[in-house]
Amino acid sequence: MRRLYRRPRDRHRAHEDNRGPRVSGGGLARPEQRHLHRGRDVPDVRRILDRDVQQVLSELQLQRALHLQADTFASVYLQNQGSNRFAVTVLPNLSQISPVRGIIAADVDGDGNLDLVVAGNLYDQEPNTARADAGSGLWLRGDGRGRFTPVPVALSGFLAPRDVTGLALVKTPAGNAVLVANNGDSLQAFLVKRR
């Protein structure tokens, strides 16, 4: 389980200060460290890396901090089983190489089983962080039991390697089509052909 503690934004500022604290040697602390120490110098970042958050922040700072918690960073499929219960299935490794920013759940190949079409990438990162651009979009063939198998692009014909912001399934006179919205780029359209 990962936790992030972050100082709430000042009501007079519309954005976070990106300068970060100075560390010994004159450099800037890494982005994930700067939020803990805004407004004060950090003599040696290595001294805080192996400490618990309670050893770095005061009790008052912890009470005022925004607390975020994640149990997983994996892209998952959530299946509603009714009665407020959901089954969680981690998607295959090929769909974990970049952020999934769009997902369609539909029977793509006409076999009666739910398939997933996923795409992602994330270009707008902080300056010290490489962009997450390894994804090329993926059709995941469902087996009807909540498990999915990646279909290679050579067989699926689905290639969405840009800064994808969303997917939509639309009906056209020629049949269903997957629309891919790309940040700052053209819209892509893929006709779904039943096999």
Side-chain angles (χ1 to χ4, degrees), residues 65-134:
L66 172 64
H67 296 240
L68 301 174
Q69 180 174 312
D71 294 321
T72 183
F73 288 113
S75 294
V76 299
Y77 166 69
L78 298 173
Q79 184 177 10
N80 188 345
Q81 297 182 321
S83 302
N84 294 322
R85 291 184 24 203
F86 290 86
V88 179
T89 303
V90 175
L91 296 180
N93 286 341
L94 276 178
S95 56
Q96 305 296 337
I97 62 174
S98 66
V100 171
R101 299 184 70 198
I103 187 167
I104 294 173
D107 181 9
V108 174
D109 56 1
D111 66 357
N113 296 326
L114 187 69
D115 303 311
L116 301 178
V117 178
V118 300
N121 291 331
L122 184 61
Y123 289 8
D124 53 345
Q125 297 289 337
E126 291 188 357
N128 296 344
T129 307
R131 66 186 196 180
D133 62 356

